[in-house]
Amino acid sequence: MECITDYRELLGWAENPETKRLLLFDGNSLAYRSFYAISELSTTAGRPVNAIFGFLRIILNVMRSFPSSYTAVAFDAGGKTFRHELYPEYKAERKEMPDALAEQLPLIRSLLERLGINFMMEEGIEADDILATIAHSATKCGLRTLIASSDKDLAQLVSENVSLLRPSGRRGDKGVELFDAKKVYEKFGVYPCQMIDYLSLVGDSSDNIPGIPSVGPKTAAQLLERFQCLDGVLENSDKAGNKRVRENLRAHRAAALLARRLVALDTNVQVGKVLEDCRLHGVDLEGLKRFLTELEFQSILAELGLGEKPTKTNEHQADYRTIFDREALDRLVGRLIEREEISIDLETTSTDPMRAEIVGIAVSPCAYKGYYIPVAHSYLGAPRQLPLDVVLAALRGIIEGETPRLIGQNLKYDLVILYRYGLQPRGISFDTMIASRLGHPERRRHNLEGLAAQYLNYKMLSYEELAGKDGDIAAIPVEKAGFYAAEDAEIVSRLRHPLEEVLNKAGAMRLFQEVEMPLLPVLARMELNGILVDERVLAEQGEEILKRLNGIEEDLYEMAGERFNPNSPKQVAMVLFDHLGLPVTERTKTGPSTSARVLTKLAEQHPLPGKLVEFRELEKLMNTYIRRLPEAINPVTGRIHTSFHQVSTATGRLSSSDPNLQNIPIRTELGERIRRAFVAPKGSLLVGADYSQIELRLLAHLAADPALIETFVAGADLHRRTASQIFAIPEERVDHRLRNAAKRINFGIIYGISPYGLARELSIPQGEAKDYIDRFLAAYPRVKGYREQMIKSGIERGYAETILGRRRLLPHLRSGNAAKRNFEKRNAVNTPIQGSAADLIKLAMLRIDSLIEGERLPVKPLLQIHDELVFEVPKQYHKEVAARIKQEMETVMELDVPLVVDVEFGENWSEI
């Protein structure tokens, strides 16, 4: 075949394709898998391309691994099928395809055309039936068939001539797992010829196909092993071991027989001539190149030889050197001190900066020049290296001076370590990870290797290639580690200018320079400070919670009339729906849902679900905090040093991890008790400074609503005033209940709450909730105009923006899916408010840091949680310091309304 040359060159086939093999792809299955496996990948214009990228990756990997002369893809075209006629509820509960996936399917089919791969779809015929028919016809033509799919229904097709290729996440297996008859048996406990009967017994929640209640995969396999087929199982139902199974087999016989007709694939649909229609056509190289260029798949273009291939190494371009002696170190320092800017990167023993030890230091004075200074490579035969204290002393003037300025990737990690070693880095000017995140907020990954591939078309040496997955860099030969480390620093130098262009294009340069980069060392110092934890308090709380859990568990057993595992969704579902007879309100792929939302609804009908919610909440607290927090305490400092992430959220709010301290419950007794374990050292107090109603104040400013502004300027109680307006009563008659309802309405407006959502929140009729919202908008008319303007602006520009210019993309504002469109409308309205609140508290942190540094105040910033800052202050200074902090926070941004900060003191976090 002349066209095979295209594929041999494109895919690097080392051998001729197998002429007696047909490669089939389940288009919808692989598109869905790719869409959810690769989240938030889009072009610079905001077009989602995650499904296309993942789909193409699977196609290329499978075609490389299994060169075949015949290849085709089957898709669902939609429309009612014979299964809907048999069972109108077929797939009735399946969620609508996400818009972002639906808009990519035509492009996937366009991609296949350029690859010369035939695709088949027919309205009213499912892709599985097309695949089954083609595989059946191929066998008659003497072809072996491989079907790439994640769908277990296709296991019924496996035979001597048909195998499945299931995409796999494991390494070293060509990216797929080959399923023959033996593998099917190992996976499901039945042979391929029994798969139809197996699925008939188990059912399929994703397709809403009924099975036999209480018959799960294990039971179904055991029944079929004993009675061979579905008919045998049903005829011998009285011999099934479990009483409940015996009863259900008799009671649901018709459902199982119906399920067998629904799951059996049709091998007689019209698919054309296999040998002619599935033969590879040849690649439209120019069309494919244009297509991949338009979608910005630079790495795939280079990989296929359609663009410039990523350089495997840059030995011929870059000059990387390793420093072993003092003379060479002094010469390097002389070069560095003359530069305006240098890139720095530490090689260490741990990803935890509070425990990491320095193994080597890499620096780059400019693009294409990199140096590595090893200090602690410990393998047998390692060359003599300079002592760390000598190296740090030589570099101190450079690291601590205002110039040269320091740049890097994820610089906060390096700063924490340098602080620990007694250095005070200054002149921090550029972080490639933060720049990428601000320039492309929709993207999830911003690692250095990915940035190099995207902006430099360059393939870096990965850590795994250097040292293995869990390798120790100290055990790596210096010459290898030297290249890797110097490359890390040098690539940052090359990335600086491309990422500056990205920031300018995104309108994020001011935000980057005035907020995020100055904040980076502030967060590093906060991480270094950590917060003191009293393990004894945690242990006491753990004992009390454990007693409560044990008591609740016994209550659950008594209510259920039997013992069961409250942490097992399957056992909980059996108790709720089979034994107690409660209604199934929601389903998942694996069966009836037992989510918190479902349990809360069911609690209105029976006490057990409510008790189960309480059990789960306590279990979550135990597992997330009581058991985990002691593990996070640094053995040297006795403190918890959480990691702060400054650009990981869509709104720009800080988040924390290892451990996450942002999610400790605020308004619950247990959350308060957990906070008691976070304490001030002897002689000090914790000071908490919390912005009061900051988001509502920003709403008043952004909407320019006179009534809202006047309320805040007058220092009135907004919630009481709103209650007066909504419930049409004088303010003095507003009680706590009405004020609380008004408070929920006030904040609900910010988050775009709907009448349905407010009705559920306040437990009132939906019509009444709508009336409350209408009254709010009548009381504050500019708010309605603001909401409409933000949505209109979001549609026109494709993004929402904060006061300081932080952007959030809004790709679904034009979506045909009402739920997604409404969600995006809420983002359009609340992003300027929430995002501006995030920007404001970051500015406050910068002002307070300048105050502390400038006046050398004895203050340690410890935490930033939502709208609150927590500090550690010596007792004798706490009132003076609190007043200064309050002043800085209240004057950090000029708005049409006053900023108000509440300050509290205490010996532990719960007291503030």
Side-chain angles (χ1 to χ4, degrees):
M1 291 169 58
E2 184 177 338
C3 72
I4 290 300
T5 303
D6 292 348
Y7 299 98
R8 188 178 290 116
E9 293 176 357
L10 196 71
L11 303 174
W13 282 347
E15 56 189 61
N16 289 328
E18 174 57 59
T19 58
K20 291 293 184 180
R21 183 166 61 206
L22 167 64
L23 197 56
L24 292 177
F25 294 91
D26 182 349
N28 284 68
S29 169
L30 300 183
Y32 263 100
R33 180 185 178 88
S34 301
F35 179 77
Y36 288 108
I38 307 172
S39 61
E40 301 180 6
L41 180 65
S42 59
T43 65
T44 52
R47 173 196 285 176
V49 291
N50 51 337
I52 308 169
F53 186 86
F55 190 96
L56 178 55
R57 275 273 176 234
I58 293 173
I59 290 278
L60 295 176
N61 288 342
V62 173
M63 289 183 72
R64 283 193 188 102
S65 302
F66 302 95
S68 309
S69 295
Y70 301 92
T71 303
V73 182
F75 290 98
D76 287 330
K80 300 291 185 181
T81 70
F82 74 91
R83 294 181 178 88
H84 291 92
E85 295 176 9
L86 288 172
Y87 184 54
E89 289 80 20
Y90 178 64
K91 292 187 177 181
E93 295 186 14
R94 179 170 288 191
K95 293 181 180 178
E96 188 178 347
M97 179 183 290
D99 284 344
L101 172 57
E103 66 183 78
Q104 293 181 68
L105 286 180
L107 292 172
I108 287 176
R109 292 191 282 269
S110 180
L111 170 66
L112 292 172
E113 289 177 347
R114 286 160 174 76
L115 285 169
I117 299 172
N118 193 24
F119 62 86
M120 303 176 185
M121 52 192 296
E122 187 71 37
E123 187 168 353
I125 298 176
E126 294 187 61
D128 287 359
D129 296 318
I130 295 174
L131 294 169
T133 301
I134 295 175
H136 187 66
S137 300
T139 298
K140 290 182 180 179
C141 296
L143 299 180
R144 287 192 67 251
T145 302
L146 298 178
I147 306 176
S149 175
S150 301
D151 192 342
K152 64 179 179 294
D153 293 1
L154 293 170
Q156 64 185 270
L157 300 177
V158 171
S159 66
E160 186 179 348
N161 294 304
V162 179
S163 300
L164 293 186
L165 296 172
R166 302 190 75 178
S168 165
R170 298 187 310 180
R171 298 180 180 276
D173 57 6
K174 300 181 179 180
V176 292
E177 200 173 358
L178 184 65
F179 269 69
D180 54 13
K182 180 181 177 183
K183 193 74 174 180
V184 170
Y185 184 81
E186 290 174 0
K187 174 73 175 177
F188 300 103
V190 297
Y191 294 103
C193 61
Q194 296 174 301
M195 276 301 296
I196 295 174
D197 295 337
Y198 169 87
L199 294 169
S200 304
L201 289 166
V202 173
D204 188 342
S205 60
S206 65
D207 288 343
N208 200 35
I209 294 177
I212 303 292
S214 302
V215 175
K218 187 175 180 181
T219 302
Q222 291 171 345
L223 289 171
L224 290 171
E225 182 178 16
R226 187 175 176 189
F227 302 117
Q228 304 303 310
C229 62
L230 178 63
D231 292 330
V233 170
L234 296 176
E235 288 170 7
N236 293 280
S237 59
D238 57 324
K239 297 178 183 177
N242 184 295
K243 179 183 177 182
R244 190 178 298 113
V245 171
R246 290 197 297 271
E247 292 173 350
N248 286 339
L249 283 171
R250 287 193 292 269
H252 298 275
R253 174 189 176 90
L257 293 173
L258 171 63
R260 181 165 63 180
R261 297 176 68 188
L262 294 172
V263 300
L265 298 179
D266 187 353
T267 59
N268 292 298
V269 301
Q270 294 298 314
V271 294
K273 298 179 180 178
V274 170
L275 292 180
E276 294 178 15
D277 295 341
C278 296
R279 189 182 296 273
L280 289 172
H281 302 326
V283 185
D284 174 7
L285 291 173
E286 285 303 313
L288 181 62
K289 184 175 180 179
R290 284 194 303 273
F291 183 88
L292 297 178
T293 300
E294 183 180 345
L295 297 188
E296 301 175 9
F297 290 172
Q298 299 300 329
S299 60
I300 295 182
L301 275 165
E303 175 188 317
L304 296 178
L306 299 177
E308 184 182 345
K309 285 193 176 181
T311 314
K312 293 293 180 184
T313 68
N314 64 2
E315 292 167 320
H316 302 300
Q317 304 174 49
D319 180 12
Y320 294 163
R321 301 185 184 187
T322 304
I323 305 296
F324 290 106
D325 57 71
R326 184 57 192 261
E327 185 180 347
L329 177 62
D330 289 341
R331 286 198 303 269
L332 173 60
V333 170
R335 292 191 192 99
L336 296 177
I337 209 161
E338 294 175 355
R339 304 296 304 181
E340 291 185 4
E341 187 174 85
I342 65 168
S343 169
I344 187 166
D345 180 63
L346 304 182
E347 298 303 332
T348 66
T349 58
S350 172
T351 56
D352 180 352
M354 288 301 299
R355 305 188 188 212
E357 301 298 329
I358 296 176
V359 176
I361 302 173
V363 292
S364 170
C366 59
Y368 301 104
K369 280 197 177 293
Y371 298 87
Y372 181 56
I373 312 166
V375 296
H377 285 265
S378 55
Y379 60 92
L380 186 64
R384 186 174 180 179
Q385 300 153 64
L386 287 166
L388 177 59
D389 59 345
V390 170
V391 174
L392 292 179
L395 294 175
R396 181 179 294 273
I398 291 168
I399 292 173
E400 295 189 336
E402 292 296 335
T403 57
R405 297 185 302 275
L406 302 181
I407 68 173
Q409 164 83 0
N410 189 19
L411 265 174
K412 179 162 62 66
Y413 171 86
D414 302 279
L415 294 187
V416 174
I417 297 172
L418 292 171
Y419 288 145
R420 282 179 48 227
Y421 277 87
L423 279 77
Q424 298 298 318
R426 300 194 184 279
I428 312 301
S429 69
F430 200 92
D431 188 301
T432 48
M433 183 178 73
I434 294 174
S436 176
R437 183 66 175 85
L438 287 178
H440 286 289
E442 78 286 354
R443 292 183 181 170
R444 195 170 182 177
R445 292 176 61 83
H446 302 271
N447 62 312
L448 192 60
E449 289 176 47
L451 298 179
Q454 180 179 358
Y455 295 108
L456 307 176
N457 198 32
Y458 176 76
K459 184 181 185 305
M460 296 182 67
L461 176 67
S462 71
Y463 188 85
E464 193 166 335
E465 290 171 325
L466 173 74
K469 189 173 183 181
D470 301 309
D472 176 8
I473 195 164
I476 302 300
V478 170
E479 60 272 17
K480 291 184 179 179
F483 179 90
Y484 167 82
E487 182 183 61
D488 272 4
E490 184 269 321
I491 287 298
V492 167
S493 294
R494 278 199 255 172
L495 281 169
R496 194 201 201 290
H497 294 299
L499 286 172
E500 276 186 335
E501 293 178 5
V502 169
L503 286 168
N504 284 321
K505 187 176 179 181
M509 183 59 81
R510 179 191 170 200
L511 186 69
F512 178 78
Q513 292 177 336
E514 297 181 10
V515 179
E516 300 300 354
M517 287 313 301
L519 187 66
L520 194 150
V522 177
L523 295 177
R525 286 192 287 272
M526 285 172 60
E527 291 185 15
L528 182 74
N529 291 336
I531 185 167
L532 193 63
V533 178
D534 189 332
E535 285 191 75
R536 179 183 53 81
V537 175
L538 283 176
E540 290 173 357
Q541 292 170 359
E543 290 176 8
E544 292 181 26
I545 292 175
L546 198 56
K547 287 179 184 177
R548 288 177 63 177
L549 280 169
N550 291 335
I552 293 172
E553 200 163 359
E554 291 302 320
D555 291 343
L556 287 170
Y557 298 156
E558 186 176 341
M559 291 176 185
E562 62 181 305
R563 299 183 76 83
F564 67 100
N565 182 357
N567 293 311
S568 166
K570 185 175 180 181
Q571 291 185 35
V572 168
M574 190 175 294
V575 167
L576 293 175
F577 309 119
D578 293 349
H579 301 179
L580 298 180
L582 295 172
V584 175
T585 58
E586 293 182 22
R587 287 186 176 273
T588 68
K589 290 183 178 180
T590 56
S593 171
T594 60
S595 68
R597 181 173 61 248
V598 168
L599 293 177
T600 301
K601 288 181 183 176
L602 294 177
E604 299 171 3
Q605 304 177 45
H606 195 282
L608 187 146
K611 186 68 74 171
L612 192 57
V613 170
E614 184 182 359
F615 179 87
R616 285 183 178 178
E617 289 175 350
L618 285 173
E619 272 272 85
K620 183 178 180 181
L621 282 174
M622 278 291 290
N623 294 330
T624 307
Y625 298 109
I626 301 298
R627 293 191 178 112
R628 296 287 300 278
L629 287 177
E631 299 171 3
I633 297 174
N634 187 289
V636 175
T637 67
R639 294 171 175 252
I640 281 180
H641 303 267
T642 187
S643 294
F644 293 103
H645 309 286
Q646 64 191 100
V647 286
S648 63
T649 64
T651 59
R653 278 195 178 275
L654 291 178
S655 62
S656 75
S657 65
D658 306 314
N660 180 358
L661 300 182
Q662 302 268 5
N663 289 341
I664 298 176
I666 296 173
R667 295 179 181 86
T668 67
E669 175 209 349
L670 285 168
E672 181 184 338
R673 294 175 69 181
I674 290 172
R675 282 180 164 79
R676 281 183 211 159
F678 293 81
V679 298
K682 189 174 181 180
S684 294
L685 289 175
L686 295 183
V687 175
D690 190 5
Y691 276 113
S692 172
Q693 301 177 344
I694 184 61
E695 292 180 348
L696 287 169
R697 292 172 190 272
L698 283 166
L699 172 63
H701 172 80
L702 292 168
D705 186 272
L708 273 179
I709 292 172
E710 189 276 328
T711 299
F712 283 121
V713 169
D717 183 336
L718 175 66
H719 302 319
R720 186 172 297 278
R721 183 163 290 186
T722 298
S724 173
Q725 298 275 3
I726 289 177
F727 302 118
I729 58 175
E731 286 188 38
E732 58 270 17
R733 289 180 53 197
V734 173
D735 59 20
H736 175 74
R737 181 181 61 84
L738 293 178
R739 184 184 182 279
N740 187 54
K743 180 178 179 179
R744 296 187 182 207
I745 294 168
N746 282 335
F747 284 105
I749 293 296
I750 296 175
Y751 297 101
I753 199 166
S754 65
Y756 170 77
L758 183 61
R760 190 169 63 178
E761 183 95 1
L762 298 179
S763 299
I764 59 176
Q766 193 167 327
E768 188 176 340
K770 182 180 184 303
D771 186 45
Y772 288 167
I773 292 174
D774 290 342
R775 290 186 191 180
F776 176 97
L777 296 175
Y780 308 114
R782 290 281 184 91
V783 172
K784 182 177 181 181
Y786 164 78
R787 291 172 57 170
E788 292 171 350
Q789 178 56 38
M790 289 302 97
I791 293 169
K792 180 182 177 183
S793 173
I795 292 172
E796 291 173 352
R797 299 192 298 179
Y799 61 85
E801 193 171 40
T802 70
I803 292 173
L804 296 187
R806 186 185 305 276
R807 293 180 182 177
R808 179 179 187 174
L809 299 183
L810 305 169
H812 303 302
L813 265 180
R814 298 176 181 269
S815 171
N817 182 308
K820 285 201 168 190
R821 189 172 62 252
N822 289 333
F823 175 76
E824 208 76 301
K825 284 181 179 179
R826 290 193 289 274
N827 288 339
V829 172
N830 69 41
T831 293
I833 299 169
Q834 288 182 284
S836 293
D839 292 345
L840 186 146
I841 202 163
K842 287 180 175 180
L843 289 176
M845 293 169 72
L846 292 174
R847 286 272 293 268
I848 295 168
D849 182 73
S850 295
L851 174 69
I852 294 170
E853 293 289 302
E855 300 190 16
R856 299 190 177 278
L857 296 180
V859 180
K860 284 186 177 180
L862 306 183
L863 299 174
Q864 190 276 318
I865 307 291
H866 307 303
D867 301 322
E868 177 187 22
L869 296 174
V870 179
F871 305 87
E872 182 179 294
V873 184
K875 282 184 179 179
Q876 63 267 38
Y877 302 115
H878 77 277
K879 289 185 178 178
E880 174 191 346
V881 166
R884 299 293 300 278
I885 288 172
K886 178 179 172 70
Q887 180 185 15
E888 293 296 337
M889 292 179 70
E890 290 183 343
T891 58
V892 73
M893 184 182 284
E894 189 173 333
L895 301 175
D896 293 337
V897 296
L899 293 173
V900 175
V901 173
D902 299 321
V903 180
E904 300 286 345
F905 323 105
E907 294 186 348
N908 64 62
W909 193 5
S910 74
E911 294 179 2
I912 63 172

